[in-house]
Amino acid sequence: MLFLVAALLLMGIALGTAAHLPVPITLVAAAVIAAWLLVFSLRERRRHTEGTPR
C-alpha cells in the first residue's frame, strides 16, 4: 500500500496539480493522505479480525 501511495504521489508531481504546488505542501498533503490510509487499513483489519459480521 505504501508503494501505491508513493507511486500516486510521483505521478501527481509529474502530471497533476501537485506540480503547481510547492514541494513542502505536496509532501505534507502526501503525509496526510498516507496517515489516513494507514488508519483506515488498521481499522478495517481490526474489524475483520474481531469477526464481527457486517
Side-chain angles (χ1 to χ4, degrees), residues 4-27:
L4 178 62
V5 172
L8 289 174
L9 175 66
L10 290 174
M11 187 174 66
I13 289 171
L15 301 173
T17 58
H20 301 287
L21 295 174
V23 174
I25 293 175
T26 304
L27 293 177

Side-chain angles (χ1 to χ4, degrees), residues 14 22 47:
R47 189 178 73 170

Side-chain angles (χ1 to χ4, degrees), residues 1-52:
M1 180 181 269
L2 202 53
F3 175 77
L4 178 62
V5 172
L8 289 174
L9 175 66
L10 290 174
M11 187 174 66
I13 289 171
L15 301 173
T17 58
H20 301 287
L21 295 174
V23 174
I25 293 175
T26 304
L27 293 177
V28 168
V32 168
I33 292 169
W36 178 74
L37 287 172
L38 179 66
V39 168
F40 178 77
S41 67
L42 291 175
R43 288 178 62 200
E44 286 294 313
R45 181 176 291 176
R46 185 179 340 155
R47 189 178 73 170
H48 288 295
T49 57
E50 287 176 354
T52 48

